[in-house]
């Protein structure tokens, strides 16, 4: 292999429950407005328009337990608790059955957001990158194999800040279900192992402050924990 001029940050890999090998993070896709009550709190009508996606860069992923400084360039840094789906085999233009079959594992994840910049850019019809693709802006808990866990309508998804519940919903509220999200996305990308999809956040998103401990949980999955230190 050709020598490179410098070394990039090491790619992170997410531990998988019961497995020796970890799951390396390739691409990170996120679904927007996928819980009705969250769409409403963001000022949008809820409809069955096709799902929409944005991405986060893999080097911006961190593992649960991380402590991160309050981000520069925002005065409204928000938590979003989400169910992450890890793809385990190549899939393109997937049917529902192929989509389910492509799921390797599930996990808790946080889609951290500079809300002030996301909304400012959205209102100017500009891309969301400054609001969404943040250093340490995607936080992952250890994954659980799809063979060991399945999403159910009554599966609870919650987030607390310093022990106080801020987000509390069930997966029944997902507008687009897991297979639909994968099927639709696979019409635009050749999905492959390493691809992670964050499936959207329920209502109750809100700001976090330096010193806060953010903990997200989904029934039956490992929790995701993130601590915010002071600003640089
Ligand atoms: Mn989100």
């Amino acid at each position: 292999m050709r020598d490179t001029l410098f070394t990039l940050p090491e790619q992170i890999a997410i531990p998988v429950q019961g497995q020796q090998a970890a799951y390396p993070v390739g691409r990170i896709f996120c679904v927007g407005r996928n819980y009705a009550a969250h769409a409403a709190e963001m000022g949008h009508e809820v409809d069955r328009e096709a799902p929409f996606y944005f991405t986060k860069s893999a080097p911006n992923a961190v593992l649960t337990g991380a402590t991160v400084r309050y981000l520069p360039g925002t005065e409204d840094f928000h938590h979003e608790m989400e169910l992450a789906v890890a793809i385990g085999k190549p899939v393109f233009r997937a049917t529902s059955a192929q989509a389910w079959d492509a799921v390797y594992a599930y996990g808790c994840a946080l889609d951290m957001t500079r809300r002030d910049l996301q909304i400012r850019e959205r209102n100017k019809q500009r891309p969301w990158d400054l609001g969404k693709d943040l250093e340490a802006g995607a936080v992952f808990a250890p994954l659980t194999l799809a063979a060991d866990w399945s999403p159910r309508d009554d599966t609870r998804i919650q987030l607390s800040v310093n022990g106080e519940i801020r987000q509390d919903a069930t997966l029944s509220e997902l507008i687009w279900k897991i297979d639909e999200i994968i099927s639709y996305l696979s019409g635009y990308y050749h999905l492959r192992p390493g691809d992670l999809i964050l499936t959207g956040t329920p209502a109750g998103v809100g700001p976090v402050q330096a010193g806060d401990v953010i903990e997200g949980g989904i029934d039956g999955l490992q929790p995701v924990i993130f601590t915010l230190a002071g600003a640089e």
Side-chain angles (χ1 to χ4, degrees):
M1 198 173 101
R2 181 176 288 215
D3 283 346
T4 55
L5 291 166
F6 49 86
T7 305
L8 292 170
E10 199 182 337
Q11 183 184 27
I12 77 152
I14 309 171
V16 183
Q17 291 283 108
Q19 301 294 303
Q20 287 292 324
Y23 182 94
V25 175
R27 300 180 291 188
I28 304 169
F29 299 97
C30 304
V31 183
R33 278 171 230 151
N34 202 26
Y35 287 78
H38 172 61
E41 77 181 350
M42 294 294 290
H44 293 279
E45 278 189 37
V46 179
D47 52 36
R48 283 279 288 183
E49 217 178 285
F52 76 93
Y53 305 83
F54 57 92
T55 58
K56 294 191 173 218
S57 310
N60 285 336
V62 294
L63 294 176
T64 185
T67 298
V68 170
R69 289 186 169 281
Y70 191 91
L71 251 67
T74 182
E75 289 173 359
D76 199 22
F77 189 30
H78 273 212
H79 57 76
E80 292 192 2
M81 174 60 201
E82 314 212 356
L83 170 65
V85 177
I87 298 294
K89 57 177 67 166
V91 65
F92 181 61
R93 294 179 181 155
T95 62
S96 172
Q98 289 166 338
W100 285 119
D101 188 50
V103 178
Y104 171 72
Y106 296 95
C108 290
L110 299 174
D111 166 13
M112 299 302 296
T113 302
R114 285 184 179 109
R115 190 71 68 205
D116 41 1
L117 296 197
Q118 182 203 6
I119 289 172
R120 187 188 74 190
E121 299 304 282
R122 187 185 79 191
N123 290 344
K124 291 182 177 178
Q125 299 191 322
R126 290 174 177 168
W128 286 7
D129 300 54
L130 288 180
K132 285 292 194 178
D133 191 11
L134 324 179
E135 291 175 348
V139 189
F140 291 97
L143 299 172
T144 298
L145 293 174
D148 298 333
W149 187 91
S150 298
R152 293 166 27 146
D153 272 356
D154 63 351
T155 303
R156 190 143 223 104
I157 176 168
Q158 286 188 315
L159 179 137
S160 66
V161 178
N162 305 322
E164 183 187 312
I165 298 283
R166 298 272 188 90
Q167 294 184 269
D168 186 5
T170 63
L171 298 183
S172 66
E173 294 180 42
L174 282 168
I175 296 170
W176 294 95
K177 306 301 180 188
I178 309 298
D179 56 329
E180 295 173 321
I181 290 168
I182 294 169
S183 290
Y184 197 85
L185 187 61
S186 74
Y188 295 89
Y189 293 89
H190 295 78
L191 297 179
R192 60 193 186 219
D195 287 340
L196 288 145
I197 306 171
L198 274 58
T199 55
T201 195
V205 299
V208 289
Q209 313 294 337
D212 282 350
V213 179
I214 301 144
E215 178 165 355
I218 296 172
D219 289 344
L221 297 179
Q222 297 292 303
V224 60
I225 300 168
F226 184 61
T227 303
L228 212 52
E232 278 180 79

